[in-house]
Amino acid sequence: MTAMPIAPFERSHATASTDGLLPIYRRAPMELVRGSGCELFDRDGTSYLDFASGIAVNALGYNDPGIRAAMLAAMDTGLIHVSNLYHTAPGAELATALVARSFASAVFFCNSGAEANEGAFKFARRWARATGGPAKHEIIALRGGFHGRLFASLAATDRPAYRAPFRPLAGGIGIAERSLEDLDALLDAETVAAVIVEPVQGESGVRVLEPEFLRGLRTLTRQRGIALIFDEVQCGLGRTGYLFAHERYGIEPDLLTLAKPLAGGLPMGAVLLGADIAASIQPGDHATTFGGGPFVSSVALHVLERISDPELLARVREDGAWLGAQLGRMVRPGSRVRAVRGIGFMWGIDVVEPAAEVVKRALAAGLLVCSAGEHTVRLLPPLIADRQDLQRGLSILAAILA
Ligand code: PLP
């Protein structure tokens, strides 16, 4: 018997991707293979000082021995995931640690920032319905806010280009100006369930909201029985030099969302709930398969302990103020830097040319930074960066912006 030749199996490749990934990101050209402290290394051995931190995720930098030890200890139990049908200790310990450090009385874990905000919207609506009936369901977000790319978080995100191709977005969500006068007129106690705000607006150019504005908004929402949600996915967990960015303002929200650095680079989000809202939530109101599993929670417990350290936070405040002062010196008549804004280890530099061009030049000079809008370069160094690291980054920036 003669074997039939097998025809090679062929498919037509319709996408522009050369590596099988959906071509939805404009990735930098190098391939990263290793990291240590504040540095990343590519396949050719070139090193990069990282002032992007995986977009505000890698607070403890790369190859941190504590994170590694927490991972290995968690692996020893044999439990990566068991689902939320059963009790496991690490998730409960992490929730207890977050409650002990905050206004909250309960925590819901999920897997990303957008998911945390979607969860917060549901919890706010559940509570508002219980207190004010079905008409009290609207959610108000702010001009310049970014809350994620899912349908409700996108409806709360003020980026026309992100929104337009995907309409209709989730309903009952509107955007207000960053003005107490406008909010005063808009916040109807009968129809509004919640207002969501980033205390420091990250994606829209690192805008630190004014204390009087946030305190005024807290007063308004409290008087009218409207939940105040702080989205601290980017600015929370040490980035401003406070464990929670709102601590600086001396006010507390009713709901707080966290994600990015929480589990040291593993995907994790959290919604922290004040007592009233937590009391209105019933079993089955919301759920997630992966959220708060034992492995990710064990790592997050370690990260939370490290970034709660008062010494680390004081250093981020102090070195952050120093970094801001150095950046401020780049704003001179005739300079390519128009303005700088920020707090702690979160800074925006307004540049004359497109920010993407500066990001490219920084990369070529061995420094990773991100953009935040068309003309703002964003610096998000790991929280472990010391003065020497910051000075190195500043020197590269000064050279490429000269
Ligand atoms: N909220 C804020 C303030 C963010 O900066 C981001 C992401 O950049 C998100 C929400 C969405 O988080 P994720 O990308 O994890 O869904």
Side-chain angles (χ1 to χ4, degrees):
M1 237 172 81
T2 49
M4 292 286 289
I6 299 170
F9 184 69
E10 280 183 28
R11 288 177 199 244
S12 68
H13 294 276
T15 72
S17 171
T18 53
D19 57 9
L21 291 167
L22 189 68
I24 206 163
Y25 296 103
R26 287 188 200 94
R27 293 174 206 266
M30 77 290 195
E31 181 191 343
L32 298 172
V33 293
R34 193 167 68 79
S36 173
C38 297
E39 279 190 317
L40 284 162
F41 299 85
D42 72 12
R43 186 163 285 290
D44 301 330
T46 306
S47 72
Y48 302 88
L49 178 62
D50 183 15
F51 274 23
S53 299
I55 321 182
V57 169
N58 300 318
L60 302 179
Y62 299 92
N63 203 19
D64 177 79
I67 290 186
R68 180 193 275 262
M71 284 186 173
L72 290 174
M75 291 295 289
D76 282 343
T77 66
L79 301 184
I80 293 173
H81 166 84
V82 295
S83 88
N84 286 306
L85 297 176
Y86 312 103
H87 287 286
T88 49
E93 285 170 30
L94 178 62
T96 304
L98 284 165
V99 165
R101 286 162 168 79
S102 73
F103 69 96
S105 74
V107 184
F108 173 82
F109 292 116
C110 53
N111 313 288
S112 70
E115 261 187 64
N117 287 330
E118 303 262 339
F121 292 167
K122 285 184 69 180
F123 299 147
R125 277 197 178 159
R126 185 71 165 104
W127 161 82
R129 181 175 286 254
T131 58
K136 191 173 168 65
H137 64 261
E138 280 175 33
I139 291 162
I140 305 291
L142 283 197
R143 182 70 66 216
F146 181 93
H147 302 291
R149 305 278 207 128
L150 306 179
F151 276 113
S153 46
L154 187 57
T157 289
D158 182 30
R159 285 280 195 111
Y162 291 179
R163 299 159 60 101
F166 305 104
R167 289 180 184 283
L169 306 177
I173 302 177
I175 293 182
E177 298 304 323
R178 284 182 303 238
S179 135
L180 279 180
E181 243 173 46
D182 285 25
L183 284 159
D184 186 19
L186 202 67
L187 296 184
D188 178 351
E190 306 288 315
T191 57
V192 178
V195 178
I196 182 164
V197 176
E198 292 167 84
V200 183
Q201 294 186 322
E203 297 296 313
S204 69
V206 190
R207 289 172 203 284
V208 186
L209 297 191
E210 292 296 325
E212 305 81 65
F213 173 78
L214 273 192
R215 289 187 196 129
L217 181 59
R218 176 65 285 189
T219 304
L220 263 181
T221 47
R222 192 154 274 151
Q223 282 167 348
R224 297 182 191 179
I226 292 169
L228 181 59
I229 308 171
F230 283 161
D231 174 346
E232 296 203 13
V233 165
Q234 184 165 157
C235 65
L237 295 171
R239 182 125 313 260
T240 63
Y242 297 84
L243 182 62
F244 303 116
H246 64 263
E247 287 173 27
R248 174 173 166 265
Y249 297 90
I251 50 172
E252 289 175 342
D254 303 300
L255 290 155
L256 175 71
T257 56
L258 303 171
K260 290 184 183 281
L262 181 54
L266 297 175
M268 184 177 226
V271 187
L272 277 62
L273 301 85
D276 286 354
I277 299 184
S280 71
I281 307 301
Q282 305 298 318
D285 276 347
H286 195 46
T288 163
T289 296
F290 289 114
F295 182 75
V296 71
S297 298
S298 300
V299 179
L301 252 173
H302 175 78
V303 172
L304 181 64
E305 217 158 89
R306 294 269 299 282
I307 60 181
S308 302
D309 176 5
E311 264 180 44
L312 176 136
L313 294 169
R315 201 181 44 68
V316 170
R317 289 197 297 273
E318 204 173 299
D319 286 355
W322 176 82
L323 176 63
Q326 303 304 307
L327 290 169
R329 290 164 55 180
M330 293 185 187
V331 189
R332 288 186 300 264
S335 142
R336 287 152 84 174
V337 177
R338 281 198 180 126
V340 300
R341 287 177 304 273
I343 181 169
F345 278 15
M346 184 174 187
W347 287 88
I349 308 172
D350 285 351
V351 288
V352 176
E353 62 215 295
E357 290 302 314
V358 178
V359 172
K360 262 193 218 161
R361 281 212 303 280
L363 184 131
L367 177 71
L368 304 187
V369 295
C370 344
S371 61
E374 289 268 298
H375 288 278
T376 306
V377 176
R378 187 172 27 156
L379 310 184
L380 300 161
L383 304 187
I384 56 158
D386 61 18
R387 279 272 171 111
Q388 227 180 336
D389 299 316
L390 298 178
Q391 183 58 66
R392 257 178 75 204
L394 277 166
S395 303
I396 297 175
L397 279 171
I400 64 165
L401 288 169

